[in-house]
């Protein structure tokens, strides 16, 4: 069965990118080339930070980049703009008034040009802020929505003083970053200490909306439409990169001592062991070691544009076993997903449950209230907190008005799985009541592939499949998947998204995810002071 795949326009990220400040490097590029597409931006950053090619380790190295380093990946005018800006601190006005392909700026470009060097103009007028706001900030408290809106109004009014043109989004991004840097405990986007996105996306969104509202008649919501920092040019059909969030998407070399022949031999040996029903390998072979050794070959087969699920299951049957799939995901993402979900079970899931209980009391009878009751009954029946794993998925779907049945289904017996109508994207199948059972199966491509024996592992395996097999999140569960990605598993790339497009252009962080993140932080703050 052919899986629906995300667009793949370049090779995977080098593992060294994990420790480099990509956000600052990307911002240094976008500041000069604001219309540069996501594909070209990702590829350029990859070239710059790769030690074998350019070896940039931070923005301080950018003045030493030469034309030969980047000329194969940008147009001539783009190369000249970047080098001119990086080697000469002063910002030329003409740089802001030209499009990324070197053509004269459009009318909307000219209307949105910022005045002067934005780095010199970033002065948040804290002295104009209401005393109540400043008092809360000094105490590291969360300001009320009213005070927060008032702060946004004052900041935007200062930016739009008489004689200034509408600011570019990159200028607003600098203000948002400055606000959060000054008072991180009060403004940073986070859940239980886990930063979401850049940490200042909510403030940036409010600034953009304010500027849009003030200039609605003349600007046609240009800034709001361009909120995402990862927009591609109009000729790119898909904007999502397969290697989004990955640190080792496609190794460029085989392990030391390995050849194509030895890789093929190991693959065939594992197939034989698997087919002999010795699923663990026993004394014959060390399956875990052989899977680790053939990681590069597995990635090459998965990343092939002609990838077919059945072929992968035939060639790499152990990849669909829980332990080996999660080991593969750990190498791919640089994170232990099982470890992350276990951490969340003791903190974030409890916070979400408590918050939703409050929402149920406020809203009265409804889906959230029904789900909270089911979860509480399951916790009482089991005598532990395991129901919170699947229960959190249920509550998030209720909150975002998404389809829980798209990601979790249930049957009475294992044999009933064959009669289920399964989605093409990864799906959790509970054998019994979803909130009470310990028996699960995971499907992908409408095929049941993986056996799992507890709800936390089911959540980790289900989520890992989106990254391992380069899949978009289902449009029916975008918020659920992105919240899990950012707030539970801590995967926060500086740009891009795996969310399936519904209509219009996509922001790098779903607005509902940002809304929930801020509501959870406000809720935690209130709980802290009440206790």
């Amino acid at each position: 069965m052919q899986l629906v795949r995300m667009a793949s326009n370049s090779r995977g990220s080098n593992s060294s990118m994990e420790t480099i400040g990509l956000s600052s490097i990307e911002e240094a590029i976008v500041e000069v080339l604001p219309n540069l597409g996501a594909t070209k931006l990702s590829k350029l950053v990859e070239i710059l930070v790769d030690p074998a090619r350019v070896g940039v380790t931070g923005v301080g190295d950018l003045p030493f980049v030469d034309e030969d380093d980047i000329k194969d990946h940008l147009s001539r005018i783009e190369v000249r703009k970047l080098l001119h800006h990086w080697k000469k601190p002063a910002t030329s006005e003409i740089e802001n008034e030209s499009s990324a392909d070197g053509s004269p700026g459009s009318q909307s470009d000219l209307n949105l040009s910022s005045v002067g060097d934005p780095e010199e103009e970033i002065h948040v007028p804290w002295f104009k802020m209401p005393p109540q706001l400043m008092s809360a900030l000094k105490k590291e408290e969360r300001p009320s929505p009213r005070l927060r809106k008032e702060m946004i109004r004052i900041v935007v009014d200062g930016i739009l003083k008489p004689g200034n043109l509408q600011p570019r989004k990159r200028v607003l991004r600098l203000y948002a970053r400055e606000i959060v840097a000054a008072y991180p405990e009060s403004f940073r986007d986070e859940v239980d200490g886990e930063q979401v996105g850049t940490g200042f996306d909510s403030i940036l969104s409010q600034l953009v909306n304010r500027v849009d509202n003030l200039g609605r008649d003349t600007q046609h919501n240009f800034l709001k439409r361009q909120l995402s920092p990862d927009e591609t040019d109009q000729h790119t059909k898909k904007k999502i990169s397969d290697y989004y969030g990955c640190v080792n998407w496609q190794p460029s070399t085989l392990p030391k001592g390995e050849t194509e022949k030895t890789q093929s031999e190991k693959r065939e040996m594992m197939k034989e062991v698997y087919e002999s029903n010795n699923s663990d390998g026993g004394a014959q072979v060390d399956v875990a070691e052989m899977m680790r050794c053939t990681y590069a070959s597995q990635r090459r087969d998965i990343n092939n544009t002609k990838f077919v699920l059945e072929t992968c299951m035939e060639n790499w049957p152990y990849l669909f076993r829980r332990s080996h799939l999660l080991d593969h995901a750990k190498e791919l993402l640089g994170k232990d997903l099982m470890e992350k979900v276990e951490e969340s079970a003791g903190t974030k899931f409890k916070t979400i449950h408590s918050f939703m209980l409050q929402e149920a009391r406020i809203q009265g009878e409804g889906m959230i209230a029904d789900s909270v009751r089911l979860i509480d009954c399951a916790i009482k029946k089991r005598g532990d907190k395991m129901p919170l794993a699947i229960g959190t998925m249920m509550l998030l779907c209720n909150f975002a008005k998404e389809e829980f049945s798209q990601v979790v289904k249930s049957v009475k017996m294992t044999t009933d799985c064959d009669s289920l109508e399964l989605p093409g994207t990864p799906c959790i199948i509970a054998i019994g009541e979803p909130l009470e059972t310990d028996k699960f199966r995971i499907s992908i491509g409408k095929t049941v592939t993986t056996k799992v024996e507890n709800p936390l592992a089911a959540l980790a395996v289900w989520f890992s499949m989106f990254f391992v097999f380069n899949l978009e999140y289902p449009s029916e569960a975008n918020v659920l998947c992105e919240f899990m990605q950012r707030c539970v598993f801590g995967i926060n790339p500086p740009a891009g998204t795996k969310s399936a497009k519904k209509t219009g252009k996509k922001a790098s962080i779903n607005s509902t995810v940002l809304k929930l993140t801020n509501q959870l932080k406000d809720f935690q703050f209130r709980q802290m002071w009440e206790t």
Side-chain angles (χ1 to χ4, degrees):
M1 181 175 298
Q2 182 74 43
L3 284 175
V4 177
R5 303 293 297 277
M6 298 192 303
S8 177
N9 296 321
S10 58
R11 296 185 66 81
S13 303
N14 187 286
S15 60
S16 65
M17 294 173 71
E18 180 183 17
T19 59
I20 294 175
L22 293 186
S23 180
S24 59
I25 293 176
E26 287 187 335
E27 286 182 1
I29 297 171
V30 174
E31 181 180 356
V32 182
L33 304 175
N35 298 321
L36 189 66
T39 302
K40 292 177 73 174
L41 176 60
S42 298
K43 184 65 177 177
L44 180 57
V45 172
E46 179 186 349
I47 297 298
L48 289 172
V49 302
D50 189 342
R53 287 183 271 191
V54 184
V56 170
T57 59
V59 291
D61 292 340
L62 294 178
F64 302 100
V65 175
D66 290 328
E67 180 177 351
D68 290 342
D69 296 327
I70 57 177
K71 66 180 182 181
D72 294 333
H73 310 286
L74 299 170
S75 68
R76 290 183 179 180
I77 193 66
E78 289 172 338
V79 171
R80 291 170 185 168
K81 286 181 181 181
L82 282 178
L83 296 182
H84 175 76
H85 183 80
W86 290 345
K87 294 178 185 297
K88 295 182 179 181
T91 303
S92 172
E93 189 68 29
I94 194 171
E95 292 177 39
N96 296 330
E97 297 179 356
S98 300
S99 62
D101 61 2
S103 59
S106 65
Q107 184 61 40
S108 60
D109 284 333
L110 293 173
N111 287 340
L112 293 167
S113 296
S114 59
V115 177
D117 187 345
E119 294 287 358
E120 297 179 0
E121 297 294 329
I122 303 307
H123 299 297
V124 179
W126 297 113
F127 65 94
K128 294 183 179 180
M129 301 299 173
Q132 304 98 309
L133 173 67
M134 296 311 300
S135 176
L137 299 183
K138 289 175 182 177
K139 295 177 183 178
E140 297 187 339
E141 297 176 357
R142 294 279 287 179
S144 67
R146 179 185 63 80
L147 289 175
R148 184 168 165 140
K149 289 180 181 178
E150 179 66 9
M151 177 192 72
I152 295 297
R153 183 191 67 76
I154 292 172
V155 171
V156 171
D157 286 350
I159 298 173
L160 298 179
K161 53 191 174 184
N164 279 14
L165 299 177
Q166 291 277 21
R168 287 180 179 272
K169 180 170 64 67
R170 64 184 174 85
V171 176
L172 299 180
R173 185 182 292 113
L174 293 173
Y175 273 93
R177 183 171 59 187
E178 178 66 23
I179 290 170
V180 174
Y183 298 100
E185 296 302 319
S186 299
F187 294 116
R188 185 169 51 214
D189 301 326
E190 64 179 15
V191 175
D192 279 324
E194 188 81 61
Q195 179 172 302
V196 178
T198 62
F200 56 79
D201 295 280
S202 293
I203 293 292
L204 174 59
S205 178
Q206 285 188 282
L207 290 171
V208 168
N209 287 336
R210 177 67 179 172
V211 171
D212 266 353
N213 290 337
L214 292 176
R216 187 179 300 276
D217 294 337
T218 57
Q219 300 302 332
H220 307 293
N221 287 332
F222 182 86
L223 282 173
K224 190 172 184 179
R225 296 200 307 270
Q226 296 292 334
L227 180 59
S228 170
D230 64 315
E231 295 296 335
T232 62
D233 57 67
Q234 61 182 350
H235 303 295
T236 305
K237 293 183 179 180
K238 292 188 177 181
K239 309 175 187 65
I240 304 174
S241 298
D242 285 349
Y243 56 85
Y244 169 83
C246 300
V247 299
N248 194 15
W249 187 73
Q250 181 60 70
S252 57
T253 60
L254 297 175
K256 186 177 180 180
E258 285 292 313
T259 64
E260 292 294 336
K261 182 179 180 181
T262 60
Q263 292 275 294
S264 179
E265 289 172 349
K266 287 181 171 64
R267 183 186 67 229
E268 294 304 314
M269 187 181 301
M270 285 190 287
K271 287 169 62 177
E272 290 177 9
V273 172
Y274 188 88
E275 290 167 1
S276 68
N277 293 321
N278 189 0
S279 59
D280 295 324
Q284 299 180 51
V285 294
D286 185 343
V287 173
E289 175 59 23
M290 294 182 75
M291 286 293 288
R292 184 197 65 76
C293 190
T294 55
Y295 174 81
S297 295
Q298 295 166 42
R299 292 309 310 166
R300 183 180 59 193
D301 287 356
I302 293 171
N303 296 337
N304 190 310
T305 55
K306 296 181 180 180
F307 170 84
V308 177
L309 179 63
E310 284 89 343
T311 303
C312 185
M313 293 176 65
E314 179 182 338
N315 289 336
W316 305 104
Y318 283 109
L319 182 58
F320 296 86
R321 290 300 178 102
R322 165 193 162 176
S323 61
H324 303 305
L325 178 63
L326 292 178
D327 284 345
H328 184 106
K330 184 177 181 180
E331 180 67 22
L332 177 69
L333 298 167
K335 293 179 181 290
D336 188 326
L337 299 187
M338 194 63 210
E339 185 178 284
K340 295 294 290 185
V341 77
E342 287 172 347
E343 290 174 0
S344 294
T347 55
K348 299 183 179 73
F349 291 171
K350 292 180 181 178
T351 299
I352 293 169
H353 177 259
S354 298
F355 169 75
M356 294 298 180
L357 177 60
Q358 172 190 269
E359 288 294 293
R361 290 169 178 166
I362 295 173
Q363 297 178 15
E365 290 301 314
M367 295 182 66
I368 292 180
D370 292 343
S371 295
V372 168
R373 279 194 291 269
L374 288 173
I375 294 167
D376 289 344
C377 287
I379 290 174
K380 184 176 181 180
K381 186 173 183 179
R382 282 184 56 109
D384 60 29
K385 299 293 185 179
M386 280 295 183
L388 288 177
I390 302 300
T392 296
M393 299 178 70
M394 181 184 296
L395 290 170
L396 290 172
C397 286
N398 294 158
F399 181 87
K401 296 180 173 56
E402 293 187 328
E403 298 180 25
F404 180 65
S405 61
Q406 177 70 25
V407 291
V408 177
K409 296 183 181 294
S410 64
V411 294
K412 292 183 178 180
M413 301 176 63
T414 305
T415 53
D416 295 334
C417 291
D418 296 335
S419 62
L420 278 176
E421 184 176 342
L422 296 169
T425 50
C427 180
I428 296 174
I429 305 170
I431 313 300
E433 290 297 325
L435 298 175
E436 299 175 12
T437 185
D438 278 325
K439 296 181 179 180
F440 297 89
R441 299 292 185 272
I442 311 299
S443 71
I444 181 174
K446 300 185 178 182
T447 303
V448 179
T449 62
T450 308
K451 179 181 178 181
V452 183
E453 294 298 340
N454 77 71
L456 294 179
L459 180 51
V461 170
W462 164 77
F463 181 79
S464 72
M465 286 185 170
F466 288 102
F467 284 84
V468 170
F469 297 106
N470 302 331
L471 300 174
E472 290 184 340
Y473 298 145
S475 59
E476 301 89 346
N478 270 335
V479 172
L480 166 67
C481 293
E482 186 169 339
F483 185 89
M484 286 291 176
Q485 171 203 313
R486 296 185 181 279
C487 301
V488 174
F489 295 103
I491 301 173
N492 279 289
T497 178
K498 286 180 78 71
S499 296
K501 182 176 180 179
K502 289 184 178 180
T503 57
K505 297 181 179 179
K506 290 182 289 188
S508 58
I509 299 184
N510 185 287
S511 60
T512 303
V513 172
L514 277 178
K515 174 185 176 182
L516 178 56
T517 297
N518 280 286
Q519 288 184 346
L520 285 171
K521 188 164 183 179
D522 289 341
F523 173 73
Q524 287 178 296
F525 177 77
R526 289 194 299 272
Q527 277 193 319
M528 180 181 67
W529 281 101
E530 288 172 1
T531 56

